[in-house]
Amino acid sequence: MNRVLLIDDDNLLTELLTEYLTAEGLEVSRVADGEAGVKEILSGQYNVVVLDSMMPKMNGLDVLKTVRVQSKVPIIMLTAKGDDIDRIIGLEMGADDYVPKPCQPRELLARINAILRRTHQSQDNDQNGIPNSIAASGVVLYPAKRQVTIEDEPLELTSTEFNLLEVLMRHAGQVVSKETLSLEALERKLAKFDRSIDVHISSIRHKLGNASLIQTVRGLGYLFVKN
């Protein structure tokens, strides 16, 4: 059973989400402050973490910064509706996705399931022994293992960053629209004024150490350079 960790001091909300997600077949644990959240995340017991941005003892952004040093577990941030600054900072610091509060349980479940599907798909490919890699411009991506190297050095990416890079590299040399990236990597339609794709791409460029590998084609999308 997939395990989900809720980190939020809003007891009414976490009770509602726990009931809903449990009914959908997920095993849910919850903690009410950031320090306890860090401890639970680093235990390595969870498939997905849902993290509120504002909490006692340690806020969500500090939790994210702390755990990303050691853990690549997918993290979905809960942010105040209209709080674009926290949203962008969270994505820049390694959050995989975000859901504005007050959140609808169905929307959160859809985001969780999208992450789990990608993870399990990769595990199934690995178990089946499918040799599969995508290479371009010195970057090699292994979908089954969810690993990336650049010039034979490992590259640490979040789950969402990996998904986006995989889509771009599968279409290396071609322009990929933001709409396609959102559908294939995030499994949702691109919302108006949603900048999450741009923020994730910026982070990937930084980690690659060569911003020119992913080019912006104004008005159309992004292109991974094929050499």
Side-chain angles (χ1 to χ4, degrees):
M1 182 179 290
N2 292 304
R3 301 194 66 189
V4 177
L5 175 63
L6 301 180
I7 309 175
D8 196 324
D9 62 333
D10 185 337
N11 290 327
L12 289 176
L13 176 62
T14 56
E15 286 178 8
L16 171 66
L17 293 176
T18 297
E19 181 178 352
Y20 186 88
L21 297 176
T22 300
E24 294 294 330
L26 298 171
E27 182 179 341
V28 182
S29 299
R30 52 182 178 162
V31 295
D33 68 76
E35 290 182 355
V38 169
K39 183 177 179 180
E40 285 298 307
I41 292 173
L42 295 181
S43 71
Q45 301 180 58
Y46 302 96
N47 302 98
V48 180
V49 174
V50 179
L51 174 64
D52 187 32
S53 59
M54 297 299 295
M55 288 179 299
K57 295 187 179 180
M58 180 184 289
N59 67 42
L61 294 177
D62 287 337
V63 170
L64 188 59
K65 181 179 180 180
T66 301
V67 301
R68 271 297 176 246
V69 177
Q70 303 178 53
S71 174
K72 295 194 293 184
V73 64
I75 296 177
I76 300 172
M77 294 287 294
L78 297 180
T79 62
K81 188 173 183 179
D83 194 344
D84 292 335
I85 295 177
D86 271 1
R87 196 172 299 166
I88 291 171
I89 292 175
L91 293 172
E92 289 176 339
M93 293 176 66
D96 291 274
D97 206 347
Y98 65 86
V99 176
K101 294 175 74 174
C103 67
Q104 295 297 321
R106 180 180 293 182
E107 179 182 6
L108 180 60
L109 176 65
R111 303 293 179 92
I112 291 172
N113 282 338
I115 288 173
L116 292 175
R117 274 193 297 271
R118 298 289 298 212
T119 302
H120 291 320
Q121 181 182 21
S122 296
Q123 291 173 348
D124 290 342
N125 289 342
D126 197 23
Q127 291 172 359
N128 291 333
I130 299 174
N132 190 11
S133 65
I134 307 167
S137 302
V139 180
V140 183
L141 184 144
Y142 303 90
K145 298 179 180 179
R146 293 187 71 79
Q147 295 176 354
V148 180
T149 62
I150 179 167
E151 305 298 343
D152 297 322
E153 293 294 326
L155 189 67
E156 296 295 329
L157 300 175
T158 68
S159 178
T160 297
E161 289 169 354
F162 182 94
N163 295 345
L164 288 166
L165 183 59
E166 180 180 356
V167 175
L168 287 171
M169 290 188 66
R170 285 189 183 279
H171 299 87
Q174 304 172 33
V175 178
V176 183
S177 69
K178 292 182 184 179
E179 290 78 8
T180 298
L181 285 169
S182 188
L183 286 172
E184 295 190 12
L186 306 183
E187 296 194 15
R188 67 170 189 266
K189 292 182 179 180
L190 183 68
K192 191 175 183 180
F193 305 122
D194 186 350
R195 290 193 56 207
S196 59
I197 297 291
D198 303 315
V199 177
H200 285 305
I201 294 295
S202 177
S203 178
I204 296 169
R205 283 171 167 161
H206 176 74
K207 292 180 178 181
L208 288 170
N210 183 354
S212 65
L213 287 177
I214 301 177
Q215 298 183 355
T216 301
V217 182
R218 190 170 298 277
L220 295 177
Y222 292 100
L223 178 149
F224 191 92
V225 175
K226 184 177 182 179
N227 289 334

mmCIF file of all heavy atoms in Angstrom, residues 6-47:
data_model
loop_
_atom_site.group_PDB
_atom_site.id
_atom_site.type_symbol
_atom_site.label_atom_id
_atom_site.label_comp_id
_atom_site.label_asym_id
_atom_site.label_seq_id
_atom_site.Cartn_x
_atom_site.Cartn_y
_atom_site.Cartn_z
ATOM 1 N N LEU A 6 1.048 13.498 5.721
ATOM 2 C CA LEU A 6 0.484 14.853 5.760
ATOM 3 C C LEU A 6 1.181 15.627 6.868
ATOM 4 O O LEU A 6 1.204 15.187 8.013
ATOM 5 C CB LEU A 6 -1.017 14.805 6.045
ATOM 6 C CG LEU A 6 -1.921 14.039 5.078
ATOM 7 C CD1 LEU A 6 -3.374 14.118 5.556
ATOM 8 C CD2 LEU A 6 -1.804 14.598 3.672
ATOM 9 N N ILE A 7 1.725 16.795 6.521
ATOM 10 C CA ILE A 7 2.368 17.664 7.515
ATOM 11 C C ILE A 7 1.639 18.993 7.512
ATOM 12 O O ILE A 7 1.816 19.827 6.627
ATOM 13 C CB ILE A 7 3.870 17.872 7.200
ATOM 14 C CG1 ILE A 7 4.568 16.541 6.967
ATOM 15 C CG2 ILE A 7 4.543 18.640 8.329
ATOM 16 C CD1 ILE A 7 6.018 16.678 6.528
ATOM 17 N N ASP A 8 0.779 19.200 8.509
ATOM 18 C CA ASP A 8 -0.069 20.393 8.568
ATOM 19 C C ASP A 8 -0.632 20.509 9.971
ATOM 20 O O ASP A 8 -1.014 19.505 10.578
ATOM 21 C CB ASP A 8 -1.203 20.279 7.545
ATOM 22 C CG ASP A 8 -1.881 21.614 7.260
ATOM 23 O OD1 ASP A 8 -2.013 22.431 8.189
ATOM 24 O OD2 ASP A 8 -2.284 21.832 6.101
ATOM 25 N N ASP A 9 -0.681 21.723 10.503
ATOM 26 C CA ASP A 9 -1.220 21.919 11.860
ATOM 27 C C ASP A 9 -2.724 22.185 11.857
ATOM 28 O O ASP A 9 -3.314 22.407 12.910
ATOM 29 C CB ASP A 9 -0.489 23.059 12.571
ATOM 30 C CG ASP A 9 -0.651 24.404 11.864
ATOM 31 O OD1 ASP A 9 -0.859 24.393 10.631
ATOM 32 O OD2 ASP A 9 -0.573 25.442 12.535
ATOM 33 N N ASP A 10 -3.339 22.134 10.681
ATOM 34 C CA ASP A 10 -4.791 22.297 10.578
ATOM 35 C C ASP A 10 -5.442 20.925 10.775
ATOM 36 O O ASP A 10 -5.580 20.151 9.836
ATOM 37 C CB ASP A 10 -5.149 22.878 9.204
ATOM 38 C CG ASP A 10 -6.632 23.202 9.066
ATOM 39 O OD1 ASP A 10 -7.442 22.617 9.803
ATOM 40 O OD2 ASP A 10 -6.973 24.024 8.193
ATOM 41 N N ASN A 11 -5.834 20.636 12.014
ATOM 42 C CA ASN A 11 -6.340 19.304 12.337
ATOM 43 C C ASN A 11 -7.622 18.953 11.585
ATOM 44 O O ASN A 11 -7.822 17.806 11.174
ATOM 45 C CB ASN A 11 -6.574 19.175 13.845
ATOM 46 C CG ASN A 11 -5.270 19.140 14.618
ATOM 47 O OD1 ASN A 11 -4.262 18.623 14.135
ATOM 48 N ND2 ASN A 11 -5.266 19.709 15.818
ATOM 49 N N LEU A 12 -8.493 19.948 11.408
ATOM 50 C CA LEU A 12 -9.738 19.674 10.690
ATOM 51 C C LEU A 12 -9.461 19.265 9.248
ATOM 52 O O LEU A 12 -10.073 18.331 8.713
ATOM 53 C CB LEU A 12 -10.647 20.904 10.730
ATOM 54 C CG LEU A 12 -11.279 21.244 12.083
ATOM 55 C CD1 LEU A 12 -12.079 22.533 11.983
ATOM 56 C CD2 LEU A 12 -12.173 20.105 12.562
ATOM 57 N N LEU A 13 -8.518 19.976 8.621
ATOM 58 C CA LEU A 13 -8.182 19.654 7.232
ATOM 59 C C LEU A 13 -7.523 18.283 7.137
ATOM 60 O O LEU A 13 -7.877 17.481 6.262
ATOM 61 C CB LEU A 13 -7.246 20.718 6.658
ATOM 62 C CG LEU A 13 -6.733 20.447 5.243
ATOM 63 C CD1 LEU A 13 -7.883 20.384 4.255
ATOM 64 C CD2 LEU A 13 -5.713 21.503 4.819
ATOM 65 N N THR A 14 -6.559 17.994 8.016
ATOM 66 C CA THR A 14 -5.864 16.707 7.919
ATOM 67 C C THR A 14 -6.795 15.538 8.239
ATOM 68 O O THR A 14 -6.639 14.450 7.679
ATOM 69 C CB THR A 14 -4.629 16.667 8.836
ATOM 70 O OG1 THR A 14 -5.014 16.948 10.191
ATOM 71 C CG2 THR A 14 -3.580 17.665 8.366
ATOM 72 N N GLU A 15 -7.765 15.762 9.125
ATOM 73 C CA GLU A 15 -8.752 14.709 9.391
ATOM 74 C C GLU A 15 -9.581 14.425 8.137
ATOM 75 O O GLU A 15 -9.832 13.263 7.787
ATOM 76 C CB GLU A 15 -9.670 15.129 10.544
ATOM 77 C CG GLU A 15 -9.019 15.057 11.919
ATOM 78 C CD GLU A 15 -9.949 15.531 13.015
ATOM 79 O OE1 GLU A 15 -11.141 15.775 12.733
ATOM 80 O OE2 GLU A 15 -9.487 15.657 14.167
ATOM 81 N N LEU A 16 -10.005 15.497 7.475
ATOM 82 C CA LEU A 16 -10.787 15.351 6.247
ATOM 83 C C LEU A 16 -9.976 14.638 5.172
ATOM 84 O O LEU A 16 -10.453 13.693 4.532
ATOM 85 C CB LEU A 16 -11.228 16.722 5.747
ATOM 86 C CG LEU A 16 -11.878 16.775 4.351
ATOM 87 C CD1 LEU A 16 -13.210 16.036 4.359
ATOM 88 C CD2 LEU A 16 -12.077 18.231 3.911
ATOM 89 N N LEU A 17 -8.739 15.076 4.979
ATOM 90 C CA LEU A 17 -7.893 14.486 3.944
ATOM 91 C C LEU A 17 -7.549 13.033 4.267
ATOM 92 O O LEU A 17 -7.526 12.176 3.370
ATOM 93 C CB LEU A 17 -6.613 15.306 3.773
ATOM 94 C CG LEU A 17 -6.780 16.724 3.211
ATOM 95 C CD1 LEU A 17 -5.439 17.447 3.178
ATOM 96 C CD2 LEU A 17 -7.402 16.693 1.816
ATOM 97 N N THR A 18 -7.295 12.762 5.536
ATOM 98 C CA THR A 18 -6.968 11.394 5.943
ATOM 99 C C THR A 18 -8.132 10.453 5.645
ATOM 100 O O THR A 18 -7.942 9.356 5.091
ATOM 101 C CB THR A 18 -6.628 11.339 7.443
ATOM 102 O OG1 THR A 18 -5.469 12.130 7.695
ATOM 103 C CG2 THR A 18 -6.356 9.898 7.889
ATOM 104 N N GLU A 19 -9.323 10.879 5.985
ATOM 105 C CA GLU A 19 -10.507 10.057 5.739
ATOM 106 C C GLU A 19 -10.694 9.809 4.240
ATOM 107 O O GLU A 19 -10.969 8.682 3.805
ATOM 108 C CB GLU A 19 -11.741 10.737 6.322
ATOM 109 C CG GLU A 19 -13.030 9.942 6.138
ATOM 110 C CD GLU A 19 -14.229 10.624 6.770
ATOM 111 O OE1 GLU A 19 -14.042 11.633 7.489
ATOM 112 O OE2 GLU A 19 -15.364 10.156 6.535
ATOM 113 N N TYR A 20 -10.541 10.863 3.455
ATOM 114 C CA TYR A 20 -10.761 10.745 2.007
ATOM 115 C C TYR A 20 -9.690 9.870 1.360
ATOM 116 O O TYR A 20 -10.006 8.968 0.572
ATOM 117 C CB TYR A 20 -10.755 12.135 1.375
ATOM 118 C CG TYR A 20 -11.114 12.141 -0.088
ATOM 119 C CD1 TYR A 20 -12.444 12.234 -0.499
ATOM 120 C CD2 TYR A 20 -10.131 12.054 -1.078
ATOM 121 C CE1 TYR A 20 -12.787 12.237 -1.849
ATOM 122 C CE2 TYR A 20 -10.462 12.058 -2.420
ATOM 123 C CZ TYR A 20 -11.789 12.146 -2.801
ATOM 124 O OH TYR A 20 -12.114 12.134 -4.135
ATOM 125 N N LEU A 21 -8.425 10.139 1.667
ATOM 126 C CA LEU A 21 -7.336 9.403 1.032
ATOM 127 C C LEU A 21 -7.316 7.938 1.460
ATOM 128 O O LEU A 21 -7.007 7.044 0.662
ATOM 129 C CB LEU A 21 -5.993 10.071 1.349
ATOM 130 C CG LEU A 21 -5.811 11.494 0.815
ATOM 131 C CD1 LEU A 21 -4.480 12.073 1.296
ATOM 132 C CD2 LEU A 21 -5.894 11.540 -0.708
ATOM 133 N N THR A 22 -7.657 7.678 2.725
ATOM 134 C CA THR A 22 -7.717 6.297 3.209
ATOM 135 C C THR A 22 -8.800 5.519 2.474
ATOM 136 O O THR A 22 -8.608 4.355 2.094
ATOM 137 C CB THR A 22 -7.988 6.270 4.726
ATOM 138 O OG1 THR A 22 -6.927 6.960 5.416
ATOM 139 C CG2 THR A 22 -8.054 4.830 5.238
ATOM 140 N N ALA A 23 -9.929 6.173 2.246
ATOM 141 C CA ALA A 23 -11.025 5.521 1.515
ATOM 142 C C ALA A 23 -10.626 5.197 0.076
ATOM 143 O O ALA A 23 -11.206 4.305 -0.550
ATOM 144 C CB ALA A 23 -12.264 6.416 1.519
ATOM 145 N N GLU A 24 -9.622 5.918 -0.445
ATOM 146 C CA GLU A 24 -9.145 5.688 -1.810
ATOM 147 C C GLU A 24 -7.982 4.695 -1.852
ATOM 148 O O GLU A 24 -7.325 4.531 -2.878
ATOM 149 C CB GLU A 24 -8.712 7.015 -2.440
ATOM 150 C CG GLU A 24 -9.857 7.987 -2.661
ATOM 151 C CD GLU A 24 -10.861 7.493 -3.687
ATOM 152 O OE1 GLU A 24 -10.440 6.760 -4.610
ATOM 153 O OE2 GLU A 24 -12.057 7.828 -3.571
ATOM 154 N N GLY A 25 -7.713 4.036 -0.716
ATOM 155 C CA GLY A 25 -6.716 2.967 -0.697
ATOM 156 C C GLY A 25 -5.312 3.375 -0.316
ATOM 157 O O GLY A 25 -4.366 2.585 -0.493
ATOM 158 N N LEU A 26 -5.136 4.586 0.202
ATOM 159 C CA LEU A 26 -3.818 5.043 0.626
ATOM 160 C C LEU A 26 -3.668 4.902 2.132
ATOM 161 O O LEU A 26 -4.638 5.048 2.880
ATOM 162 C CB LEU A 26 -3.599 6.500 0.219
ATOM 163 C CG LEU A 26 -3.631 6.790 -1.282
ATOM 164 C CD1 LEU A 26 -3.627 8.294 -1.540
ATOM 165 C CD2 LEU A 26 -2.453 6.136 -1.996
ATOM 166 N N GLU A 27 -2.456 4.630 2.581
ATOM 167 C CA GLU A 27 -2.166 4.602 4.016
ATOM 168 C C GLU A 27 -1.634 5.976 4.408
ATOM 169 O O GLU A 27 -0.614 6.420 3.869
ATOM 170 C CB GLU A 27 -1.132 3.525 4.336
ATOM 171 C CG GLU A 27 -0.820 3.392 5.815
ATOM 172 C CD GLU A 27 0.185 2.298 6.114
ATOM 173 O OE1 GLU A 27 0.370 1.405 5.247
ATOM 174 O OE2 GLU A 27 0.787 2.336 7.204
ATOM 175 N N VAL A 28 -2.298 6.643 5.324
ATOM 176 C CA VAL A 28 -1.993 8.042 5.634
ATOM 177 C C VAL A 28 -1.509 8.198 7.071
ATOM 178 O O VAL A 28 -2.115 7.667 8.009
ATOM 179 C CB VAL A 28 -3.231 8.934 5.417
ATOM 180 C CG1 VAL A 28 -2.888 10.398 5.700
ATOM 181 C CG2 VAL A 28 -3.760 8.774 3.989
ATOM 182 N N SER A 29 -0.411 8.934 7.237
ATOM 183 C CA SER A 29 0.068 9.346 8.551
ATOM 184 C C SER A 29 0.092 10.861 8.576
ATOM 185 O O SER A 29 0.200 11.507 7.530
ATOM 186 C CB SER A 29 1.473 8.797 8.824
ATOM 187 O OG SER A 29 1.483 7.387 8.806
ATOM 188 N N ARG A 30 -0.006 11.453 9.764
ATOM 189 C CA ARG A 30 0.004 12.915 9.827
ATOM 190 C C ARG A 30 0.753 13.407 11.054
ATOM 191 O O ARG A 30 0.748 12.774 12.110
ATOM 192 C CB ARG A 30 -1.411 13.471 9.810
ATOM 193 C CG ARG A 30 -2.338 12.858 10.837
ATOM 194 C CD ARG A 30 -3.727 13.435 10.717
ATOM 195 N NE ARG A 30 -4.645 12.831 11.673
ATOM 196 C CZ ARG A 30 -5.797 13.346 12.041
ATOM 197 N NH1 ARG A 30 -6.186 14.497 11.527
ATOM 198 N NH2 ARG A 30 -6.567 12.724 12.907
ATOM 199 N N VAL A 31 1.431 14.529 10.884
ATOM 200 C CA VAL A 31 2.095 15.228 11.979
ATOM 201 C C VAL A 31 1.738 16.708 11.862
ATOM 202 O O VAL A 31 1.377 17.185 10.791
ATOM 203 C CB VAL A 31 3.625 15.030 11.953
ATOM 204 C CG1 VAL A 31 3.983 13.575 12.192
ATOM 205 C CG2 VAL A 31 4.210 15.503 10.629
ATOM 206 N N ALA A 32 1.863 17.429 12.983
ATOM 207 C CA ALA A 32 1.318 18.786 13.033
ATOM 208 C C ALA A 32 2.362 19.884 13.118
ATOM 209 O O ALA A 32 2.003 21.056 13.272
ATOM 210 C CB ALA A 32 0.350 18.902 14.219
ATOM 211 N N ASP A 33 3.647 19.551 13.024
ATOM 212 C CA ASP A 33 4.654 20.615 13.018
ATOM 213 C C ASP A 33 5.831 20.223 12.150
ATOM 214 O O ASP A 33 6.023 19.050 11.822
ATOM 215 C CB ASP A 33 5.107 20.960 14.440
ATOM 216 C CG ASP A 33 5.905 19.845 15.097
ATOM 217 O OD1 ASP A 33 7.081 19.669 14.752
ATOM 218 O OD2 ASP A 33 5.336 19.131 15.954
ATOM 219 N N GLY A 34 6.620 21.227 11.783
ATOM 220 C CA GLY A 34 7.696 21.009 10.831
ATOM 221 C C GLY A 34 8.813 20.117 11.327
ATOM 222 O O GLY A 34 9.353 19.302 10.570
ATOM 223 N N GLU A 35 9.180 20.241 12.594
ATOM 224 C CA GLU A 35 10.276 19.434 13.123
ATOM 225 C C GLU A 35 9.928 17.952 13.095
ATOM 226 O O GLU A 35 10.745 17.119 12.696
ATOM 227 C CB GLU A 35 10.615 19.881 14.548
ATOM 228 C CG GLU A 35 11.276 21.256 14.607
ATOM 229 C CD GLU A 35 11.639 21.645 16.026
ATOM 230 O OE1 GLU A 35 11.296 20.891 16.967
ATOM 231 O OE2 GLU A 35 12.260 22.710 16.202
ATOM 232 N N ALA A 36 8.708 17.627 13.502
ATOM 233 C CA ALA A 36 8.265 16.230 13.437
ATOM 234 C C ALA A 36 8.177 15.767 11.991
ATOM 235 O O ALA A 36 8.461 14.604 11.676
ATOM 236 C CB ALA A 36 6.907 16.085 14.129
ATOM 237 N N GLY A 37 7.808 16.695 11.101
ATOM 238 C CA GLY A 37 7.720 16.362 9.692
ATOM 239 C C GLY A 37 9.061 15.962 9.104
ATOM 240 O O GLY A 37 9.154 14.992 8.346
ATOM 241 N N VAL A 38 10.117 16.705 9.453
ATOM 242 C CA VAL A 38 11.463 16.378 8.968
ATOM 243 C C VAL A 38 11.852 14.966 9.400
ATOM 244 O O VAL A 38 12.354 14.158 8.599
ATOM 245 C CB VAL A 38 12.496 17.397 9.497
ATOM 246 C CG1 VAL A 38 13.919 16.905 9.224
ATOM 247 C CG2 VAL A 38 12.287 18.754 8.842
ATOM 248 N N LYS A 39 11.614 14.665 10.667
ATOM 249 C CA LYS A 39 11.961 13.339 11.192
ATOM 250 C C LYS A 39 11.239 12.234 10.431
ATOM 251 O O LYS A 39 11.839 11.216 10.070
ATOM 252 C CB LYS A 39 11.613 13.271 12.677
ATOM 253 C CG LYS A 39 11.990 11.964 13.344
ATOM 254 C CD LYS A 39 11.679 11.984 14.825
ATOM 255 C CE LYS A 39 12.048 10.662 15.487
ATOM 256 N NZ LYS A 39 11.740 10.670 16.945
ATOM 257 N N GLU A 40 9.943 12.448 10.170
ATOM 258 C CA GLU A 40 9.164 11.430 9.463
ATOM 259 C C GLU A 40 9.605 11.281 8.012
ATOM 260 O O GLU A 40 9.732 10.168 7.491
ATOM 261 C CB GLU A 40 7.673 11.777 9.525
ATOM 262 C CG GLU A 40 7.030 11.510 10.865
ATOM 263 C CD GLU A 40 7.068 10.041 11.241
ATOM 264 O OE1 GLU A 40 6.625 9.203 10.427
ATOM 265 O OE2 GLU A 40 7.573 9.737 12.337
ATOM 266 N N ILE A 41 9.852 12.384 7.343
ATOM 267 C CA ILE A 41 10.284 12.317 5.942
ATOM 268 C C ILE A 41 11.587 11.537 5.823
ATOM 269 O O ILE A 41 11.738 10.656 4.968
ATOM 270 C CB ILE A 41 10.464 13.724 5.350
ATOM 271 C CG1 ILE A 41 9.108 14.424 5.217
ATOM 272 C CG2 ILE A 41 11.147 13.649 3.981
ATOM 273 C CD1 ILE A 41 9.212 15.876 4.801
ATOM 274 N N LEU A 42 12.537 11.840 6.702
ATOM 275 C CA LEU A 42 13.854 11.213 6.623
ATOM 276 C C LEU A 42 13.851 9.758 7.081
ATOM 277 O O LEU A 42 14.850 9.063 6.936
ATOM 278 C CB LEU A 42 14.874 12.032 7.429
ATOM 279 C CG LEU A 42 15.143 13.442 6.889
ATOM 280 C CD1 LEU A 42 16.187 14.145 7.741
ATOM 281 C CD2 LEU A 42 15.576 13.403 5.430
ATOM 282 N N SER A 43 12.717 9.294 7.603
ATOM 283 C CA SER A 43 12.609 7.878 7.963
ATOM 284 C C SER A 43 12.554 7.006 6.711
ATOM 285 O O SER A 43 12.790 5.801 6.766
ATOM 286 C CB SER A 43 11.354 7.627 8.812
ATOM 287 O OG SER A 43 10.168 7.739 8.023
ATOM 288 N N GLY A 44 12.198 7.631 5.565
ATOM 289 C CA GLY A 44 12.159 6.906 4.309
ATOM 290 C C GLY A 44 10.979 5.968 4.156
ATOM 291 O O GLY A 44 10.994 5.071 3.315
ATOM 292 N N GLN A 45 9.918 6.183 4.938
ATOM 293 C CA GLN A 45 8.777 5.266 4.934
ATOM 294 C C GLN A 45 7.669 5.656 3.962
ATOM 295 O O GLN A 45 6.702 4.911 3.806
ATOM 296 C CB GLN A 45 8.169 5.199 6.340
ATOM 297 C CG GLN A 45 9.111 4.737 7.433
ATOM 298 C CD GLN A 45 8.414 4.718 8.782
ATOM 299 O OE1 GLN A 45 7.396 4.048 8.965
ATOM 300 N NE2 GLN A 45 8.941 5.483 9.716
ATOM 301 N N TYR A 46 7.784 6.835 3.332
ATOM 302 C CA TYR A 46 6.640 7.376 2.595
ATOM 303 C C TYR A 46 6.913 7.476 1.099
ATOM 304 O O TYR A 46 8.033 7.730 0.665
ATOM 305 C CB TYR A 46 6.265 8.740 3.170
ATOM 306 C CG TYR A 46 5.936 8.654 4.642
ATOM 307 C CD1 TYR A 46 6.900 8.943 5.608
ATOM 308 C CD2 TYR A 46 4.679 8.234 5.062
ATOM 309 C CE1 TYR A 46 6.610 8.822 6.960
ATOM 310 C CE2 TYR A 46 4.370 8.120 6.412
ATOM 311 C CZ TYR A 46 5.346 8.408 7.355
ATOM 312 O OH TYR A 46 5.047 8.280 8.697
ATOM 313 N N ASN A 47 5.830 7.290 0.323
ATOM 314 C CA ASN A 47 5.913 7.420 -1.131
ATOM 315 C C ASN A 47 5.688 8.842 -1.600
ATOM 316 O O ASN A 47 6.223 9.267 -2.627
ATOM 317 C CB ASN A 47 4.874 6.513 -1.795
ATOM 318 C CG ASN A 47 5.035 5.060 -1.412
ATOM 319 O OD1 ASN A 47 4.347 4.572 -0.518
ATOM 320 N ND2 ASN A 47 5.943 4.366 -2.065
#
